[in-house]
Amino acid sequence: MRPARPCGRSNRPYSWRLVGGGTGQRAARGPLQESIDGCPGVDLHMYSEMFCHLRPVRRLCLGKIFPYWFLYSRALSGAEAVNALRPFYFAVHPDFFGQHPREREVNENSLKRLSAYLENLQKPGFKSLKPTQLMFYVRERDQNSSDGQEHFSTSGFRAVRFTLHTRDLLSTVLYILNSCSLSTEHVQSLNNNVHSQPLKEAKGMSDRPIKWDKSYYSFTGFKDPDEDLEQVWRTETTLTSWLDNNGESAVKKLKNSLPLRKELDRLKDELSHQLQLSDIRWQRSWGIAHRCSQLHSLGRLAQQNLETLKNAKGCTVIFTDRSGVSAVGHVMLGTMDVHHHWTKLFERLPSYFDLQRRLMLLEDQISYLLGGIQVVYIEELQPVLTLEEYYSLLDVFYNRLLKSRVPFHPRSLHGLQMILNSDRYAPSLHELGHFNIPILCDPANLQWFILTKAQQAREKMKRKEELKVIENELMQASRKKFSLEKFYKEPSVSSIQMVDCCKRLLEQSLPYLQGMHLCVSHFYSVMQDGDLCIPWNWKNGETIK
């Protein structure tokens, strides 16, 4: 690569006709492009704004203005950035955390925020982004792999926290991979213009390689991005400060939602009575208006086909993403389906009830073969399965047990619980006391594992029941002390976490919470209908200086 020519050699005006790196297209060549010879496609949108006032100093060399890595590398396109982050996505993808709902939800939320950050980086003409704090649970790499490739085990994971404050896709990709201790060698193959030495140095470079004097921001009026970053590190969000900043907004939203909340309760009670349902629930956190709309839709269908819908007598109806009957027998109504699909489902409910009886018999047969251990399906901890899908899993597992004839003493494991899953190959004991059993695990290994862990499982289950009692008592005390209208938690928050959260809440004086709806989650947020969400591990105290 030839060194950059001095800016002063050309008397032609600057041309900023360059296409952003996010599009992956080659830039139209101009004098500035020629000054960085051999580096097509550099994203110079933000630099065009920075240097538009510096025309009188054209004789400065680009080597004095741009950092070394800018001269040696081109900007990554959006597609290349996604490809470069494939090892990262593979390590944190929520689908690999099926047995760990809390970690899965954290990764889902963090991936959404990361996606928004990457999209903003590719928008033409962006000036600066606020530092974004992210947390991921990263699956541990398999240290015993011998083929030199990146392998991930299912046995464990680690928490990784980092703050994004980069200004281009390349440094963002490198920073994410390095923060998660993942290889960055493949990034060089994606960028043929990146020399080995600059890339090696880029791994350890600062995330904001251009350090402008404070006078530059005073003169141009641009916002100093370092100030945002400094503020992030200097100030830590506390519960009281967050409530101070968001309490008024939450009160306003809650007040506006009250009429709709009353309408929702009325519709729910009316339909439950009319169809003799056990309950009506929602699988996702849809807003109140959206829920009312879904109930109105079900109400119209009831007016047209009342006798058909009465097939659901005694059932729980759940509004979710697809129609069917769930593994535990709940009637699932897909919100994207039309009335015709719902009607067909209600018509077929008698056949589903027959399949459910056969499923329960199959569970009893498996329990008998395994010494009385109870086969359960825990909605909060397992993927959403239809009745047919769950029956198929049980059937495969039962046939494998019949062939092996592994001996268990009758009722020796009575009182213990197990869940079946298809995404693991080794059995494990959950912190809540139930066994996670893969349908394809070796029966002999299964016998040994269950027998050696049985006592530990009983202790964990006993501890779970004790924690549940303590949790309920603390939640009631918190609701009473703060005069909360509603106090609840997300399913991914464990009893241990909830107990810790409530104990610390009860030590506080929080008048802002009176009459509010409070949800314990993993992040701070104000929901569209005024519910306050706080992380279970919230912090309180003085601002860090």
Side-chain angles (χ1 to χ4, degrees):
M1 179 180 291
R2 296 191 300 273
R5 294 195 294 261
C7 300
R9 291 188 181 181
S10 173
N11 293 322
R12 292 174 293 177
Y14 287 114
S15 172
W16 296 99
R17 298 178 293 109
L18 293 177
V19 180
T23 63
Q25 302 178 25
R26 289 184 174 272
R29 293 191 64 83
L32 186 57
Q33 177 66 38
E34 295 172 356
S35 299
I36 314 175
D37 199 41
C39 298
V42 178
D43 187 354
L44 295 178
H45 287 295
M46 63 179 178
Y47 293 100
S48 66
E49 295 182 4
M50 287 183 176
F51 290 104
C52 63
H53 64 288
L54 297 179
R55 296 178 186 272
V57 290
R58 293 178 190 168
R59 288 186 173 85
L60 290 174
C61 293
L62 285 178
K64 299 291 184 179
I65 297 176
F66 293 102
Y68 64 88
W69 61 267
F70 187 86
L71 298 174
Y72 284 95
S73 65
R74 64 176 175 82
L76 291 181
S77 69
E80 288 172 326
V82 171
N83 197 23
L85 286 173
R86 286 181 67 184
F88 163 75
Y89 290 131
F90 189 72
V92 304
H93 199 284
D95 287 351
F96 293 107
F97 291 80
Q99 300 301 317
H100 305 280
R102 179 175 66 87
E103 289 80 6
R104 180 179 62 209
E105 184 172 353
V106 169
N107 283 9
E108 284 177 349
N109 290 325
S110 294
L111 283 172
K112 291 177 184 177
R113 298 170 66 194
L114 173 60
S115 177
Y117 188 94
L118 295 176
E119 285 184 16
N120 288 331
L121 274 182
Q122 299 173 68
K123 289 180 180 178
F126 81 96
K127 296 180 180 179
S128 64
L129 296 176
K130 289 184 178 181
T132 300
Q133 291 179 313
L134 297 174
M135 174 181 175
F136 287 98
Y137 286 97
V138 181
R139 292 191 296 145
E140 293 286 6
R141 285 175 291 179
D142 188 353
Q143 303 297 330
N144 299 321
S145 62
S146 57
D147 57 3
Q149 304 234 353
E150 202 92 61
H151 292 275
F152 295 89
S153 69
T154 59
S155 59
F157 44 80
R158 53 193 166 84
V160 175
R161 294 178 175 85
F162 53 87
T163 301
L164 288 178
H165 45 89
T166 46
R167 297 295 297 273
D168 64 276
L169 285 174
L170 175 59
S171 58
T172 302
V173 168
L174 291 172
Y175 181 58
I176 293 173
L177 293 174
N178 279 293
S179 296
C180 298
S181 302
L182 299 173
S183 173
T184 59
E185 294 180 2
H186 62 289
V187 180
Q188 186 173 4
S189 65
L190 291 174
N191 192 339
N192 294 327
N193 289 316
V194 179
H195 288 191
S196 59
Q197 183 63 24
L199 178 59
K200 182 179 179 181
E201 294 175 356
K203 293 181 182 179
M205 70 184 181
S206 64
D207 299 312
R208 198 180 308 285
I210 296 181
K211 183 74 174 179
W212 298 102
D213 188 88
K214 299 295 182 182
S215 60
Y216 166 78
Y217 298 101
S218 300
F219 178 76
T220 61
F222 292 133
K223 187 174 182 180
D224 185 354
D226 283 331
E227 290 182 0
D228 281 338
L229 180 60
E230 184 179 348
Q231 186 69 14
V232 168
W233 291 108
R234 191 168 57 86
T235 304
E236 185 176 24
T237 300
T238 65
L239 179 61
T240 51
S241 67
W242 186 82
L243 289 174
D244 282 338
N245 295 331
N246 297 276
E248 186 176 341
S249 170
V251 169
K252 183 177 180 180
K253 289 182 177 180
L254 180 61
K255 184 178 179 180
N256 292 337
S257 72
L258 290 179
L260 272 179
R261 289 179 185 272
K262 292 180 180 179
E263 174 69 3
L264 179 68
D265 291 339
R266 184 191 66 80
L267 290 170
K268 184 177 176 180
D269 292 340
E270 186 178 282
L271 279 171
S272 296
H273 177 74
Q274 184 181 19
L275 304 179
Q276 301 181 50
L277 301 175
S278 174
D279 193 13
I280 298 177
R281 290 166 27 194
W282 286 263
Q283 193 175 41
R284 292 174 53 191
S285 300
W286 282 297
I288 303 298
H290 196 169
R291 296 187 182 198
C292 286
S293 176
Q294 292 162 354
L295 290 182
H296 278 298
S297 186
L298 181 60
R300 287 193 296 270
L301 184 61
Q303 293 176 354
Q304 301 166 6
N305 300 279
L306 182 58
E307 292 303 316
T308 301
L309 267 62
K310 282 187 175 180
N311 284 336
K313 177 182 178 180
C315 294
T316 294
V317 169
I318 300 181
F319 290 95
T320 181
D321 295 322
R322 59 173 175 168
S323 296
V325 175
S326 73
V328 292
H330 298 330
V331 179
M332 302 188 301
L333 299 181
T335 57
M336 300 300 292
D337 292 335
V338 295
H339 283 181
H340 172 73
H341 295 106
W342 288 5
T343 303
K344 289 293 184 182
L345 172 62
F346 282 105
E347 289 175 350
R348 295 177 55 198
L349 282 182
S351 63
Y352 277 113
F353 296 152
D354 179 61
L355 179 61
Q356 188 177 19
R357 286 189 288 269
R358 290 161 50 199
L359 183 147
M360 294 171 66
L361 177 61
L362 196 54
E363 287 179 335
D364 290 340
Q365 291 172 328
I366 293 174
S367 176
Y368 176 78
L369 293 175
L370 294 180
I373 190 171
Q374 183 185 8
V375 183
V376 297
Y377 180 89
I378 305 177
E379 292 180 275
E380 295 82 5
L381 300 178
Q382 293 181 255
V384 178
L385 298 176
T386 63
L387 199 62
E388 301 97 322
E389 292 168 343
Y390 188 48
Y391 183 88
S392 178
L393 286 180
L394 290 172
D395 189 52
V396 170
F397 185 70
Y398 175 67
N399 288 324
R400 287 175 62 86
L401 287 178
L402 279 180
K403 291 179 181 179
S404 64
R405 290 291 182 180
V406 177
F408 281 91
H409 192 278
R411 297 184 64 80
S412 60
L413 301 177
H414 179 71
L416 297 181
Q417 295 180 339
M418 60 166 278
I419 65 175
L420 278 177
N421 58 73
S422 58
D423 61 348
R424 299 174 69 93
Y425 290 92
S428 64
L429 178 61
H430 195 273
E431 61 179 6
L432 298 180
H434 61 265
F435 289 95
N436 289 317
I437 307 300
I439 60 173
L440 298 179
C441 72
D442 180 65
N445 291 338
L446 174 63
Q447 180 192 31
W448 174 255
F449 183 82
I450 291 179
L451 292 178
T452 56
K453 298 286 186 180
Q455 183 58 35
Q456 188 178 351
R458 294 187 189 279
E459 293 172 356
K460 286 179 177 290
M461 289 188 68
K462 182 180 179 181
R463 178 58 178 163
K464 177 187 71 173
E465 296 302 322
E466 293 172 348
L467 276 174
K468 195 64 181 176
V469 172
I470 297 173
E471 176 187 7
N472 291 335
E473 291 175 351
L474 289 173
M475 289 183 68
Q476 291 177 10
S478 299
R479 179 174 180 175
K480 182 178 180 181
K481 176 177 179 178
F482 301 114
S483 302
L484 291 167
E485 182 67 24
K486 184 178 181 181
F487 187 36
Y488 61 104
K489 69 171 187 175
E490 291 186 351
S492 56
V493 177
S494 68
S495 293
I496 295 178
Q497 294 168 340
M498 194 63 179
V499 167
D500 175 69
C501 175
C502 290
K503 282 182 177 179
R504 293 185 295 113
L505 274 177
L506 289 169
E507 297 173 355
Q508 304 296 316
S509 175
L510 302 170
Y512 326 86
L513 297 181
Q514 184 174 357
M516 299 301 296
H517 292 227
L518 182 63
C519 173
V520 176
S521 177
H522 298 279
F523 300 96
Y524 286 106
S525 66
V526 177
M527 300 180 71
Q528 63 185 30
D529 295 304
D531 290 42
L532 287 168
C533 293
I534 63 171
W536 68 270
N537 57 344
W538 56 268
K539 293 179 175 58
N540 215 6
E542 298 297 326
T543 301
I544 300 174
K545 297 183 179 179

